[in-house]
Amino acid sequence: MARIKYYYDTETCKYERVKVSKWDIFLNSLGIFTLSLILAAALLAISSTYFESPQVSLLKKENKELLMYYNDMEKDIKQMDNMMAALQDRDDNIYRVIFEADPIPSTIRQAGVGGTDRYRDLREEKIVREDLVIDTYEEIDKMKKQMYIQTKSYDDILDMAKNKSEMLASIPSIQPIANKDLKRLASGYGMRMHPILKYMRMHAGCDFSAPQGTPIFATGNGKVSRAVFSKTSGNMIKIDHGYGYETKYLHMSKFAVKQGQIVKRGDIIGYVGNTGLSKAPHCHYEVWKDGKHVNPLNFFYNDVTDEEYDKLIELASKENESLG
Ligand SMILES: [Zn+2]
């Protein structure tokens, strides 16, 4: 109930009743309301500046924790990066060196992760810690790529190792007959007087003199590509060893293998004889590389010592007559 107010009228010398219009009441109320609003806003501003709500504290705590985990993760990634570098180093400087392969160029090892911007979506989302998130993604992608290249390199090395042992087993590297006391090497590679034709001509192999029927061995793994008789070579076997190598064995008394047969180093392929243009029972042995005959002396390294090898060189260099 509104209080009734009076005022003293000096003209009438009486107390008169104050008349309050509805407009006055409205204006008064509006004033009070506005003031209250201003006060409330001011209070809110002050409280939010000096005090924070439980939700904000929680978010801040979460944020801090996430940052901490990200930092830890970055340290882990850095450590993995170092480990990766050690693997690459070992690969380039040890494994690949063993197999005489070139190191993987750093341009390939450090290659980027494709030309397009893989993180465009992330950038467009305008996430607050864009730098942190995208950097981490980039680091991980780089690592994935390097790991892939490293794995491929190990596959290559495995192939090379397999290939190398096959190659080493295939390249001729022993003498075609047992020659323990080295007395078998009768004539070497080079210009020699032919014992039957009686003129100097290129002797494309080595002659091992041995009794008729002495076993002749394949000097490396391969395939018997020819087992034929000719008037000059007599019974002749040719072995294709692959990798550009071939060997020939002439003047055999008989074959122990057939054309097309796969042989291993040390397998008996035939026996010493005196067939074709031959002066006495012996094995004429030739080594061919990429279609050219080469000095077989360079291919006896597997079954002789250094001293024996020197002795063989001395024997082979005698300018004697060949046996055929
Ligand atoms: Zn000969």
Side-chain angles (χ1 to χ4, degrees), residues 12 86 196 206 216 235 315:
T12 58
I196 294 166
C206 286
I216 298 173
N235 287 320
L315 287 168

Side-chain angles (χ1 to χ4, degrees), residues 187 203-207 251 282-285 322-324:
S187 179
H203 189 227
C206 286
D207 288 341
H251 313 300
H282 79 286
C283 173
H284 171 103
Y285 173 63
S322 74
L323 291 173

Side-chain angles (χ1 to χ4, degrees), residues 4-7 16-22 24-25:
I4 299 163
K5 290 180 180 171
Y6 297 91
Y7 72 97
E16 295 289 346
R17 197 169 166 168
V18 177
K19 285 178 186 154
V20 182
S21 72
K22 282 191 177 163
D24 288 338
I25 296 171

Side-chain angles (χ1 to χ4, degrees), residues 23 40 43 52 59 81 83 86 98 107 111-112 119 142 145 185-186 211 226 238 264 267 275 289 318 324:
W23 180 243
L43 270 173
E52 56 192 26
L59 285 174
D81 218 26
M83 284 157 73
I98 290 172
T107 44
Y119 312 106
K142 201 177 94 189
K145 167 114 193 189
L185 188 64
R226 298 195 78 187
K238 186 158 101 174
K264 296 233 172 269
D267 283 355
T275 55
K289 175 76 172 70
K318 276 187 188 165

